[in-house]
Amino acid sequence: LGCMAFAALLFFVIRLWFDVAQIRAVAENEPKIRRALGKSFRITLGSFFSLFWIFLRIAIVALLVSAAAAWFFVKVIRPEQVGVSIVFGQVFVIFWLMIRFWLRACETVWYQRKFPAPAVLAEAPAPPAPADFESAPSLAPQLTTPPDDTSS
């Protein structure tokens, strides 16, 4: 039991590390993921308990809903109800995707609060240069006379 708990904790650390690396790569516009992995490892270990608390709360919700769904699947849905089983399975997969997106959103908010983006002051655009009307080509239609046809 102790080995399983240690393995689960190790998997949680790796999952959090990779999540923070992906968030950091996007937030910092990091072109190389290896650089993001190195810095994210230090961030994950330095803030492990706050990240783990986020992960643990969402995992408990997922565990409770999964247990209720498993009970419902075993006790309520009969084996003859293949269509219901397929739909229920698809809803369950969508639920797990929602849990994953919820976890990623919480980690992203955590990262943005812990490492706010530096404020960038945008420079005001330069005023347009004054137009020089004498050198600009005229847009007025030019009147031309047709050539004389005196060759015949």
Side-chain angles (χ1 to χ4, degrees), residues 59-138:
I60 289 172
V61 170
L63 179 68
L64 292 175
V65 172
S66 296
W71 177 86
F72 184 81
F73 186 74
V74 170
K75 298 291 183 180
V76 176
I77 299 176
R78 294 189 315 267
E80 303 86 36
Q81 296 174 316
V82 176
V84 175
S85 296
I86 291 172
V87 170
F88 186 77
Q90 294 300 309
V91 169
F92 193 67
V93 167
I94 291 171
F95 165 75
W96 272 102
L97 285 172
M98 289 175 19
I99 289 291
R100 185 72 186 117
F101 294 150
W102 182 22
L103 176 63
R104 180 62 60 94
C106 290
E107 291 169 342
T108 303
V109 168
W110 172 86
Y111 186 85
Q112 289 173 340
R113 289 181 180 166
K114 184 139 176 103
F115 304 101
V120 177
L121 299 175
E123 294 182 20
D132 185 13
F133 292 110
E134 284 95 29
S135 65
S138 174

